[in-house]
Amino acid sequence: EEHFASPGFMAGPGRELTARLHSAQAGDLMAGVVERLVDLDTLRIAEMDEAGIDTQVLSLTSPGTEQLDARDAITLAREVNDVAAEAVRRHPGRFVALAALPTAAPDAAVQELARAVRDLGCAGAVINGHIGARYLDDPFFWPIFEQAQTLGVPIYLHPTPPPEAVIAASYTGNFSPAVTAQLAAAGWGWHIETATHILRIILAGVFDRYPKLQLIVGHLGEALPFMLERLNRSMPPPLTRLERPIGDYLRENLHYTFSGFNFLPPYLNLMLEVGVERIMFSVDYPYSSMEHGRQFLERLPVSPHDRERIAHGNAERLLALT
């Protein structure tokens, strides 16, 4: 989960992102983010070298293509993937790319995923949350899952703000609009939204239909590991009509990254619930510090072998990098 933005993205969905990052609320915390998003050369690689990070797995920053209409999403996804593939070619070994998809048009997304993997060398795909308030449990989108399973590549489900109706109902209250914006996003809503999205995918039977499909989520699991045993108890297979308990899917069909959550207690919870072989290092660059991410990795109370797996081994296996 190391983000970038293409020229086409910055001319479209990126305009709102730029305005938000330059707002008074963002302050110094987000200074330099836009510059780092669009840099796929000197600045980014220098910061990787300084932090001792060999390779970044690039993904288009939120809101991605998912809030565009189908026609615009098709155009943008192709441009983004070409930009990422060119960066990988310029800097072999330093970058790997996840493909952006025109998710609103599943048939086109299937074709673009095949092109990105087979022709451009992408290692998987990223989808930024709901698609205009439609979720991936809708069979309309399942051809994308089928193609990912056929190609043997994972899909990273990245957060996006909840639909406006959800923000109005759940995140708007007796506090300022600035607090609402953070509560609905990085402070809470992004993560709960993504966790709910994963549960919808599981409960719809996606993994029963596509048992080899692998999804990735960030932020140490978006609170799902904390709730895993409760989910198993509250929604057992006799109720869900699934082939397995919910926790089995969370342990066998998902992988988890740090992505800026450099916090030991939730990491320990994740490790105890799903096992070290499904945890992968990431920074959430440029929204989080590569140096801080590397320091957290080095401080983890794990064996040298497990640190190697988290640092690179698990990602190399999942993304077929070796």
Side-chain angles (χ1 to χ4, degrees), residues 5 10 14 17-19 21-22 30-39 286:
M10 296 309 297
L17 173 65
T18 300
L21 293 176
H22 289 167
M30 293 291 104
V33 165
V34 173
E35 177 187 10
R36 285 167 170 80
L37 279 173
V38 299
D39 180 276

Side-chain angles (χ1 to χ4, degrees), residues 48 53-56 87-96 321:
M48 291 167 62
I53 293 174
D54 298 314
T55 304
Q56 279 193 347
V88 172
R89 283 192 290 268
R90 286 199 306 275
H91 304 288
R94 303 311 305 267
F95 297 136
V96 177
L321 301 182

Side-chain angles (χ1 to χ4, degrees), residues 95-224:
F95 297 136
V96 177
L98 298 179
L101 302 178
T103 319
D107 289 347
V110 164
Q111 295 176 15
E112 182 60 18
L113 181 55
R115 183 184 82 94
V117 171
R118 292 170 176 161
D119 298 344
L120 302 182
C122 290
V126 61
I127 294 177
N128 286 275
H130 62 86
I131 302 91
R134 295 181 73 179
Y135 290 81
L136 295 169
D137 59 299
D138 187 332
F140 175 74
F141 299 108
W142 290 15
I144 300 172
F145 293 139
E146 182 177 13
Q147 179 71 300
Q149 177 174 267
T150 298
L151 293 168
V153 297
I155 295 175
Y156 203 125
L157 186 62
H158 186 272
T160 203
E164 289 297 328
V166 176
I167 294 175
S170 297
Y171 297 106
T172 303
N174 189 28
F175 34 78
S176 71
V179 171
T180 290
Q182 279 298 90
L183 181 64
W188 183 257
W190 275 347
H191 313 296
I192 303 309
E193 169 79 10
T194 307
T196 302
H197 199 164
I198 289 290
L199 291 175
R200 290 179 64 146
I201 291 168
I202 292 172
L203 292 168
V206 167
F207 294 118
D208 288 345
R209 177 73 66 87
Y210 308 111
K212 295 182 180 179
L213 175 68
Q214 295 293 313
L215 300 186
I216 310 171
V217 293
H219 310 110
L220 293 178
E222 313 289 16
L224 285 166

Side-chain angles (χ1 to χ4, degrees), residues 2-9 37-41 44 56-61 76-101 112 115-117 119-126:
E2 318 308 346
H3 299 296
F4 79 101
S6 70
F9 177 85
L37 279 173
V38 299
D39 180 276
L40 289 171
D41 294 292
R44 185 179 294 249
Q56 279 193 347
V57 180
L58 303 172
S59 59
L60 178 63
T61 194
L76 180 60
R78 191 173 186 90
E79 185 257 355
V80 163
N81 296 336
D82 288 344
V83 167
E86 180 55 36
V88 172
R89 283 192 290 268
R90 286 199 306 275
H91 304 288
R94 303 311 305 267
F95 297 136
V96 177
L98 298 179
L101 302 178
E112 182 60 18
R115 183 184 82 94
V117 171
D119 298 344
L120 302 182
C122 290
V126 61

